[in-house]
Amino acid sequence: MHLIATLLLTLVAPEGAGGGLLSYQDTVRCSGLTQAASELEGGESARGRQLFDAALYWSLASGQAAAAAGRPGASADADQTRERIAAVRDLSEHLNGAEAALEVCLRRTPDLG
């Protein structure tokens, strides 16, 4: 768990921070996309397991980003839920570049072994 916390701290940035770090909104988007993709794929395949792990990681990252941005937990949970619902639609209907955005999120997901 310490490894995950360390990885999260190096990835998440306060709102508006520059560099390669991700904003709260970016982590919420990745959380929603990976959760939706995991639901759509199911957990039986290798891809499904990869998506499940990524969804867990991005959910935790979103929580860390929310805390760093001073957002209340309930608000952060609602943001993730809204993003997941939108991502299910976008992935199912091939809208808004969802597949490409998902692949970017997967590339940014560390290998948790």
Side-chain angles (χ1 to χ4, degrees), residues 11-107:
L11 181 64
V12 177
E15 205 70 45
L21 300 178
L22 296 177
S23 70
Y24 170 73
Q25 201 54 40
D26 290 336
T27 61
V28 169
R29 177 73 171 144
C30 283
S31 178
L33 282 166
T34 54
Q35 287 176 31
S38 177
E39 290 173 16
L40 293 169
E41 178 73 25
E44 293 75 36
S45 67
R47 174 78 170 177
R49 289 186 296 277
Q50 175 195 26
L51 290 166
F52 178 84
D53 289 348
L56 177 59
Y57 172 79
W58 285 109
S59 179
L60 293 170
S62 292
Q64 290 290 318
R71 294 181 186 265
S75 173
D77 290 344
D79 290 344
Q80 283 188 60
T81 298
R82 268 191 306 280
E83 195 62 47
R84 179 184 52 77
I85 291 167
V88 166
R89 181 199 66 233
D90 290 350
L91 289 168
S92 296
E93 298 177 14
H94 310 287
L95 299 173
N96 301 318
E99 290 92 350
L102 173 63
E103 292 307 315
V104 169
C105 293
L106 291 175
R107 282 194 304 271

